[in-house]
């Protein structure tokens, strides 16, 4: 195997594939497979672990001899010290990189049990702009569960909802965020994609190109195909619960509008000094004002909310929420003005967050203390 390539391109394609390599384990999951295709004048970098498979392609090469070789990730990194236009040449047990000023050589494997990559099937799931797709998954990741005992909650459910709209949702059992998209979903699409794709797909697709990503699927895998890469991931098993009905508010509501960044700033402050205490933040309606408040053992604070279109707020509103959840969900809407609604007849219903960017969030409350006289007295003085 022998080919010429610029060092920046060599580093780019190997680093992007390396995101799925494991740091420890068998050589098949800690190594990159470098393939030189002389017939098509292309270099292919392949990497895999137990759940993800990556292929990166580069046509910006000149292949003199075809072949393939496995190189452990730590050894590949040592070769980045050779810069400029380089020649990459492999023997049976090593790979050498040289420029006109410097050369480096590391141990490699000519023969290694290669992980079988799943072949793309014909069912197309959807197609979307790369940046829009990555931003959507990134924003929705705030509501993914970290509890591996409930694996279905660690991923994004991608489906056509009961109303026929394309939507993506994440939920950890206490909060959820949904975004309606126009990505031309397959009409029968209903898959749950692991949350780790946020990190892996962002790195694999980092080619500085404006492009659409096409997504294919079957019952086990999803394939994300770009101009110079294919990223494959196993799907999460199990049926996602019917979450769409939770986003349908057909009841009498109270509500108000508030800039999302204002609510985010308040919740960020509260979650900072309440971290690790399991003490909630409160939203109260007292003396005609909507006020948030939080108390710890050594600090208490309140904020009068300046809201628009406030309607039907019950006089006895005493609503308790996890401030971290409020921070995470409100951040999704950035500087948009959001509408917050809840059930007028049920003080333990979810709060709905609705913006203009296609996102809807909901947060379940926590049960407040029986005696809130200290909160009420403090808030009333605001």
């Amino acid at each position: 195997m022998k080919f010429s390539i610029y060092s920046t391109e060599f580093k780019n394609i190997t680093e992007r594939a390396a995101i799925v390599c494991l740091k420890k384990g068998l050589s098949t999951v800690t190594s990159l497979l470098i393939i030189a295709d002389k017939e098509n004048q292309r270099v292919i970098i392949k990497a895999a672990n137990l759940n993800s498979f990556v292929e990166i392609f580069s046509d910006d090469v000149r292949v003199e001899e075809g072949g393939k070789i496995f190189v452990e990730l730590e050894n590949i990194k040592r070769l980045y010290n050779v810069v400029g236009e380089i020649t990459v040449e492999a023997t049976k047990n090593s790979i050498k990189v040289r420029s006109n000023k410097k050369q480096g050589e590391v141990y490699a494997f000519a023969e290694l049990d290669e992980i079988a990559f799943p072949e793309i099937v014909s069912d197309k799931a959807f197609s979307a702009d790369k940046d829009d797709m990555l931003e959507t998954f990134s924003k929705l990741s705030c509501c993914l569960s970290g509890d591996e005992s409930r694996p279905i909650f660690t991923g994004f459910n991608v489906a056509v909802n009961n109303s026929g709209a394309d939507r993506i949702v994440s939920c950890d059992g206490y909060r959820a965020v949904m975004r309606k998209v126009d990505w031309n979903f397959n009409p029968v699409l209903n898959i749950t994609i692991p949350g780790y794709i946020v990190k892996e797909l962002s790195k694999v697709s980092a080619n500085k190109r404006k492009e659409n990503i096409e997504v294919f699927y079957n019952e086990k895998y999803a394939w994300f195909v770009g101009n110079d890469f294919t990223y494959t991931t196993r799907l999460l098993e199990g049926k996602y619960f019917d979450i769409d009905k939770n986003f349908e508010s057909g009841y009498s509501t109270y509500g108000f509008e508030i800039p999302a960044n204002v609510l985010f700033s308040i919740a960020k402050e509260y979650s900072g000094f309440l971290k690790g205490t399991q003490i909630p933040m409160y939203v109260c309606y007292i003396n005609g004002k909507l006020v948030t408040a939080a108390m710890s053992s050594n600090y208490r604070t309140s904020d009068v909310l300046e809201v628009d279109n406030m309607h039907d707020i019950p006089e006895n509103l005493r609503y308790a929420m996890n401030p971290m959840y409020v921070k995470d969900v409100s951040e999704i809407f950035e500087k948009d003005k959001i509408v917050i609604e809840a059930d007028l007849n049920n003080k333990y219903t979810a709060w709905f967050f609705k913006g203009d960017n296609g996102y809807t969030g909901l947060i379940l409350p926590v049960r407040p203390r029986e005696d809130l006289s200290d909160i009420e007295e403090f808030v009333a003085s605001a």
Side-chain angles (χ1 to χ4, degrees):
M1 183 185 79
K2 184 177 181 181
F3 60 90
S4 298
I5 188 172
Y6 278 97
S7 58
T8 51
E9 176 71 356
F10 182 69
K11 183 178 181 181
N12 173 269
I13 60 178
T14 52
E15 282 188 335
R16 286 165 56 197
I19 187 65
V20 302
C21 286
L22 302 182
K23 294 182 178 180
K24 295 181 180 180
L26 299 173
S27 296
T28 49
V29 293
T30 62
S31 299
L32 298 178
L33 172 58
I34 302 175
I35 302 173
D37 182 351
K38 184 177 180 180
E39 180 179 354
N40 295 302
Q41 286 296 298
R42 166 179 283 193
V43 166
I44 305 164
I45 310 296
K46 300 177 71 173
N49 57 43
L50 299 178
N51 298 304
S52 306
F53 311 81
V54 173
E55 294 178 272
I56 308 289
F57 315 97
S58 177
D59 298 322
D60 194 13
V61 297
R62 185 175 67 256
V63 180
E64 297 181 36
E65 296 178 14
K68 66 179 183 179
I69 197 161
F70 295 87
V71 189
E72 290 198 332
L73 180 58
E74 290 305 311
N75 283 340
I76 277 283
K77 293 178 180 179
R78 295 185 174 95
L79 299 177
Y80 295 157
N81 292 318
V82 184
V83 298
E85 186 173 6
I86 60 174
T87 298
V88 181
E89 189 171 4
T91 63
K92 187 175 182 180
N93 57 7
S94 71
I95 183 170
K96 179 187 290 187
V97 173
R98 56 183 171 83
S99 67
N100 59 356
K101 294 182 178 180
K102 186 178 178 67
Q103 65 178 348
E105 187 173 9
V106 295
Y107 184 75
F109 308 91
E111 299 293 334
L112 201 62
D113 291 335
E114 187 174 342
I115 294 177
F117 277 49
E119 294 184 7
I120 296 179
V121 295
S122 58
D123 289 334
K124 185 174 180 179
F126 58 88
S127 176
D129 174 77
K130 178 177 69 175
D131 295 335
D132 189 29
M133 182 186 296
L134 294 176
E135 181 181 283
T136 299
F137 284 132
S138 179
K139 286 188 172 183
L140 293 176
S141 65
C142 73
C143 290
L144 294 176
S145 173
D147 186 357
E148 294 294 337
S149 66
R150 301 185 302 168
I152 201 70
F153 287 112
T154 66
F156 307 99
N157 184 244
V158 183
V160 178
N161 70 9
N162 300 330
S163 302
D166 301 348
R167 64 100 179 114
I168 304 174
V169 68
S170 63
C171 175
D172 64 2
Y174 306 99
R175 54 187 166 162
V177 176
M178 177 183 69
R179 187 190 180 204
K180 291 183 178 179
V181 296
D182 187 19
W183 294 353
N184 194 27
F185 281 9
N186 184 312
V188 297
L189 180 67
N190 192 332
I191 57 177
T192 304
I193 301 171
Y196 57 71
I197 72 159
V198 174
K199 178 180 179 181
E200 293 185 354
L201 183 58
S202 295
K203 183 65 175 180
V204 169
S205 64
N207 54 16
K208 298 181 180 180
R209 296 177 181 173
K210 190 75 174 176
E211 62 181 326
N212 266 28
I213 295 178
E214 293 190 320
V215 182
F216 302 84
Y217 77 106
N218 64 10
E219 68 279 3
K220 290 185 177 181
Y221 300 100
W223 291 262
F224 295 77
V225 182
N227 289 335
D228 67 347
F229 68 88
T230 298
Y231 169 76
T232 309
T233 179
R234 293 184 188 273
L235 297 175
L236 294 177
E237 297 180 354
K239 184 179 180 181
Y240 208 82
F241 72 102
D242 186 11
I243 194 171
D244 293 301
K245 63 182 180 182
N246 296 91
F247 284 94
E248 299 169 358
S249 56
Y251 43 68
S252 176
T253 61
Y254 66 85
F256 56 91
E257 294 181 10
I258 186 172
N261 59 334
V262 172
L263 190 60
F264 168 77
S265 297
I266 293 171
K268 182 179 180 181
E269 178 198 353
Y270 293 3
S271 60
F273 73 84
L274 294 177
K275 185 176 181 180
T277 65
Q278 296 186 333
I279 298 174
M281 64 178 283
Y282 289 88
V283 180
C284 307
Y285 187 61
I286 293 180
N287 299 332
K289 295 183 291 187
L290 201 59
V291 185
T292 62
M295 289 186 174
S296 68
S297 59
N298 57 5
Y299 179 65
R300 59 183 182 173
T301 185
S302 68
D303 294 87
V304 177
L305 299 181
E306 295 184 2
V307 300
D308 295 322
N309 297 324
M310 185 168 64
H311 63 89
D312 300 319
I313 305 291
E315 287 289 339
N316 64 345
L317 178 65
R318 307 290 186 269
Y319 202 84
M321 288 183 292
N322 185 320
M324 183 65 73
Y325 296 171
V326 178
K327 178 184 76 69
D328 289 344
V329 171
S330 59
E331 186 177 17
I332 289 171
F333 300 93
E334 299 175 349
K335 295 182 179 181
D336 286 358
K337 182 170 286 190
I338 53 175
V339 176
I340 296 180
E341 294 181 337
D343 188 350
L344 186 63
N345 303 310
N346 185 353
K347 63 181 179 180
Y348 297 124
T349 191
W351 262 24
F352 287 83
F353 295 66
K354 302 176 182 179
D356 295 328
N357 56 0
Y359 291 90
T360 302
L362 66 85
I363 301 175
L364 292 176
V366 298
R367 189 173 291 274
R369 289 188 279 115
E370 292 295 331
D371 182 10
L372 293 177
S373 57
D374 55 344
I375 291 281
E376 292 172 349
E377 181 181 351
F378 181 63
V379 168
S381 65

